[in-house]
Amino acid sequence: MEQKRCISSLTLAELTAELKALGQPGFRAKQIFHWVHQKLVTEFSAMTDQPKTLLAKLEETFYIAAPQIERRQEAKDGTVKYLLRMADGNCIETVVMRYHYGNTVCVSTQVGCRMGCRFCASTQAGRVRNLEAGEICSEIYTAQKDIGERISHIVLMGIGEPLDNFDEVMRFLENITSPEGVNIGMRNISLSTCGLVPKIDQLAEKKLQLTLSISLHAPTNQIRSSMMPVNDAYPVEQLIQTVRRYQETTGRRVSFEYSMVRGVNDSDICAKQLADLIRGMGAHVNLIPINPVDGSPYSATDAANVRRFQQKLESLGVNATVRRRLGSEISAACGQLRRDEMNGKA
């Protein structure tokens, strides 16, 4: 028996082609796309303006991604963290963060991760598989329906490396920004990468209006390689050269994520090295007090040291802010809920 495919992963053009192959008029594709990506239905039977014969065929061939909320944690600040179980039984994490400008959802792009960053819980069990575009969309739709409020911003910064799942992430971006769907503006989307150089170049060619965030976390190869194995493949100098090229190609400002680890990357010398590394880029540095992760050798820098590091960067002409800590009481470190579930602690 042929395995069903995820209809919510198809772009509108792909869906149109599929329906034409079934002998259906083109307008049906737009109607069905509306049902899936605007009205957020999870059953074909809910598509009340479609012929029953077509719905039966769709039911036979496709499914609509609709993860189950396995676990839900809500913090005092309104942050909501979900452990979502996908159709194949694998679990991922999705987080809703509330800001004055709207609701931001942090989505996962893979089940697990193979990048091996030593301060991250997401990667400890490796990568199981990539998520399909429709599954990534379904994280947003599930969260939006659960909180009863519109999601206005997206960060691709949950479990997984987005550029390691390039094609499905590009398809996701096309669907989530489509005027025929929830229509979230590309400028309201941030994509975070640990620095896959060839994929950054590939992304640059698309000239998308999203914000690219580079998970840098260290200003030298010695420190970064000790924290992030990806640096052995794409050293700091090569990464920064690629990011400068990305800026020239797209005209978009890039931000750098910098997790503050006590005694590792939080010295004044590191601040000076970081400022020298990114000088002239007009880039923004987002300083992140890390959340504690079981099994990680790292501990967080205290607030006073983070502030001192920020001031040092600013004195050297670098725009730096400290990320507001959200949901610290609800297993906020990325991957913790999934890991607890895998270890039978949930």
Side-chain angles (χ1 to χ4, degrees), residues 73-81 95-97 289-293 300 323-334 336-337:
Q73 295 181 338
E74 184 162 0
K76 293 171 186 172
D77 59 23
T79 301
V80 185
K81 187 163 192 176
V95 182
V96 172
M97 298 164 286
I290 64 167
N291 287 296
V293 173
R323 180 184 291 176
R324 181 176 149 216
R325 293 191 75 166
L326 297 173
S328 57
E329 75 269 29
I330 57 168
S331 304
C334 189
Q336 281 189 191
L337 271 187

Side-chain angles (χ1 to χ4, degrees), residues 28-188:
R28 291 282 182 218
K30 189 176 285 190
Q31 290 175 332
I32 291 168
F33 195 91
H34 279 173
W35 281 110
V36 174
H37 294 285
Q38 201 172 78
K39 298 177 183 177
L40 311 186
V41 302
T42 56
E43 301 288 342
F44 289 110
S45 58
M47 301 179 181
T48 53
D49 59 357
Q50 299 302 302
K52 288 186 177 178
T53 51
L54 173 58
L55 293 179
K57 183 62 179 174
L58 293 177
E59 189 80 55
E60 188 182 300
T61 311
F62 298 102
Y63 72 94
I64 303 170
Q68 298 300 307
I69 298 175
E70 187 75 13
R71 195 171 173 197
R72 182 188 193 275
Q73 295 181 338
E74 184 162 0
K76 293 171 186 172
D77 59 23
T79 301
V80 185
K81 187 163 192 176
Y82 302 95
L83 182 70
L84 301 180
R85 191 172 294 280
M86 312 311 285
D88 65 355
N90 279 301
C91 286
I92 58 169
E93 293 177 16
T94 305
V95 182
V96 172
M97 298 164 286
R98 290 182 164 97
Y99 296 97
H100 63 88
Y101 54 75
N103 295 314
T104 295
V105 64
C106 179
V107 298
S108 297
T109 53
Q110 297 175 310
V111 179
C113 182
R114 62 174 178 170
M115 294 298 113
C117 300
R118 296 187 173 94
F119 49 85
C120 180
S122 299
T123 194
Q124 288 181 353
R127 184 189 65 174
V128 178
R129 69 172 177 88
N130 288 333
L131 291 177
E132 287 192 43
E135 293 178 305
I136 306 171
C137 287
S138 74
E139 297 179 59
I140 296 161
Y141 304 160
T142 301
Q144 186 164 295
K145 286 193 282 189
D146 180 70
I147 66 172
E149 300 169 27
R150 175 173 165 76
I151 299 296
S152 58
H153 292 68
I154 301 167
V155 290
L156 290 92
M157 207 178 287
I159 295 173
E161 161 59 54
L163 296 187
D164 192 36
N165 185 17
F166 192 89
D167 291 342
E168 289 300 319
V169 166
M170 293 305 109
R171 190 175 280 115
F172 156 75
L173 290 172
E174 183 172 341
N175 284 350
I176 211 71
T177 58
S178 171
E180 306 297 338
V182 290
N183 194 22
I184 295 174
M186 194 69 80
R187 286 177 178 266
N188 289 349

Side-chain angles (χ1 to χ4, degrees), residues 213-274:
S213 294
I214 305 295
S215 294
L216 186 63
H217 307 307
T220 69
N221 285 319
Q222 182 181 1
I223 299 173
R224 194 166 190 263
S225 287
S226 72
M227 298 173 71
M228 305 173 70
V230 70
N231 194 73
D232 293 335
Y234 307 112
V236 167
E237 299 82 10
Q238 186 183 2
L239 174 59
I240 296 301
Q241 186 179 30
T242 303
V243 173
R244 289 182 187 273
R245 193 161 58 241
Y246 176 91
Q247 285 188 303
E248 289 170 9
T249 303
T250 64
R252 299 287 294 160
R253 192 176 73 153
V254 170
S255 66
F256 290 98
E257 308 287 330
Y258 196 96
S259 292
M260 300 290 292
V261 182
R262 183 191 301 274
V264 175
N265 64 352
D266 60 348
S267 67
D268 279 355
I269 293 173
C270 284
K272 172 73 164 56
Q273 290 170 328
L274 177 59

